[in-house]
Amino acid sequence: MPWVSTVAAFGVLACLTLALPAAAKSMWNTDKLYTECSRSSARCASYLAAVVDTANEAAVIATQKLVICLPPRAKVEKLRKVVLKELEVQPQARASSAASVALRALKRKWPCAKQ
């Protein structure tokens, strides 16, 4: 059952997050996100794909609803451009975690219809 491994992974991540000091809760900060996405790096692509997958998986587990509804055959390059634009247009967003900025930008660009 694939959901069992997903639930286990979230449990491990939750435990790790609780064990970290407050200043170390984010693996990436927004400066790292901006740097990697400005270069069109594979790290940026991987990070954004993980944000979408994790957000939707967590939402489905909690509510049975998706939070980001990408169009069919969406390219990670488009995700990168959306998040990079958010970081450039909203410089104050750099005070937030990289994941929260990416998630906010992607949810705004591709919201899901009321389910």
Side-chain angles (χ1 to χ4, degrees):
M1 291 187 258
W3 67 271
V4 173
S5 60
T6 302
V7 171
F10 280 111
V12 169
L13 288 175
C15 290
L16 289 173
T17 301
L18 293 173
L20 294 173
K25 284 191 177 177
S26 295
M27 300 294 270
W28 274 29
N29 62 29
T30 51
D31 290 330
K32 175 82 169 163
L33 181 65
Y34 185 80
T35 299
E36 293 296 335
C37 290
S38 294
R39 292 188 232 170
S40 298
S41 74
R43 288 176 148 187
C44 171
S46 297
Y47 186 85
L48 296 177
V51 166
V52 171
D53 288 349
T54 302
N56 279 335
E57 201 59 40
V60 168
I61 289 168
T63 65
Q64 299 299 308
K65 297 177 184 175
L66 297 175
V67 293
I68 301 169
C69 291
L70 297 175
R73 294 185 285 288
K75 304 282 188 222
V76 175
E77 176 62 16
K78 180 65 176 170
L79 278 68
R80 184 190 71 81
K81 288 179 180 178
V82 167
V83 172
L84 194 56
K85 182 177 179 183
E86 178 83 8
L87 288 166
E88 291 170 346
V89 173
Q90 302 284 338
Q92 70 276 15
R94 296 235 183 146
S96 304
S97 71
S100 66
V101 170
L103 184 58
R104 184 173 49 248
L106 297 171
K107 283 171 61 174
R108 187 179 3 248
K109 178 67 177 174
W110 293 290
C112 296
K114 298 289 180 197
Q115 300 171 12

